[in-house]
Amino acid sequence: MTFDQWSGESTFQNMSGLEVLGAMVHGDIPPPPMAAVIPFRIHAFSAGEVEIRAAMEERFGNLFGMAFGGWPMSLLDYAMGFAAVSMLPAGEICPSVECAVKFVRPIRATSGEIRATGRVQSCGRSVIHVQGSLEDGAGKLYSLGTSTCLRTAI
């Protein structure tokens, strides 16, 4: 499936957000193309909440031997965006209009698998507010995020 076939019109036109996430988990549709750059897997999802998992790799490191800031930001953007998507009926998309991230502590290659969780805080007719967090397997907090997504008909 090409990106044009995967994107908005063909996928979201006829599937709800939860159906899209389920199809990705089951391999019926590919993950977003950006996942080839920053790999992740959807671990769990339900209406309003998504957990993805990823491992910090050396190639995502900065000069100080820790994750370059774009890596945790991308994981939070995925998780929060997918949480917003989970609230959509067929025929709608929800691009991000704002995303903010706060770094709590550095992520290193030795940090192990990282859990990125996105939770919808408010889902209105036009705007979805989401909050997210990055934690390791022991529950140690690494980053916090917020996102605002605009509900839009295709």
Side-chain angles (χ1 to χ4, degrees), residues 60-74:
F60 301 127
N62 64 15
L63 292 172
F64 310 116
M66 57 190 72
F68 171 72
W71 188 77
M73 293 168 80
S74 293

Side-chain angles (χ1 to χ4, degrees), residues 7-47:
S7 64
E9 273 80 46
S10 65
T11 304
F12 287 93
Q13 187 66 43
N14 300 310
M15 297 172 75
S16 71
L18 281 173
E19 290 171 327
V20 169
L21 294 172
M24 271 197 287
V25 166
H26 294 99
D28 298 328
I29 62 172
M34 186 64 178
V37 178
I38 299 178
F40 68 91
R41 66 182 171 81
I42 297 174
H43 179 74
F45 67 96
S46 60

Side-chain angles (χ1 to χ4, degrees), residues 3-131:
F3 180 68
D4 288 338
Q5 293 169 324
W6 181 91
S7 64
E9 273 80 46
S10 65
T11 304
F12 287 93
Q13 187 66 43
N14 300 310
M15 297 172 75
S16 71
L18 281 173
E19 290 171 327
V20 169
L21 294 172
M24 271 197 287
V25 166
H26 294 99
D28 298 328
I29 62 172
M34 186 64 178
V37 178
I38 299 178
F40 68 91
R41 66 182 171 81
I42 297 174
H43 179 74
F45 67 96
S46 60
E49 187 166 342
V50 172
E51 179 184 318
I52 65 169
R53 295 192 179 182
M56 166 57 185
E57 300 172 22
E58 193 174 283
R59 66 183 172 136
F60 301 127
N62 64 15
L63 292 172
F64 310 116
M66 57 190 72
F68 171 72
W71 188 77
M73 293 168 80
S74 293
L75 292 181
L76 281 167
D77 191 34
Y78 280 138
M80 293 186 297
F82 289 162
V85 163
S86 74
M87 303 301 291
L88 298 178
E92 284 188 12
I93 58 173
C94 60
S96 299
V97 294
E98 177 273 338
C99 187
V101 174
K102 305 293 185 210
F103 303 117
V104 176
R105 64 178 40 89
I107 300 172
R108 302 180 189 282
T110 57
S111 297
E113 187 173 63
I114 299 295
R115 296 184 322 225
T117 304
R119 291 182 186 90
V120 171
Q121 300 300 301
S122 171
C123 182
R125 288 188 321 239
S126 58
V127 176
I128 302 173
H129 296 279
V130 188
Q131 115 182 77

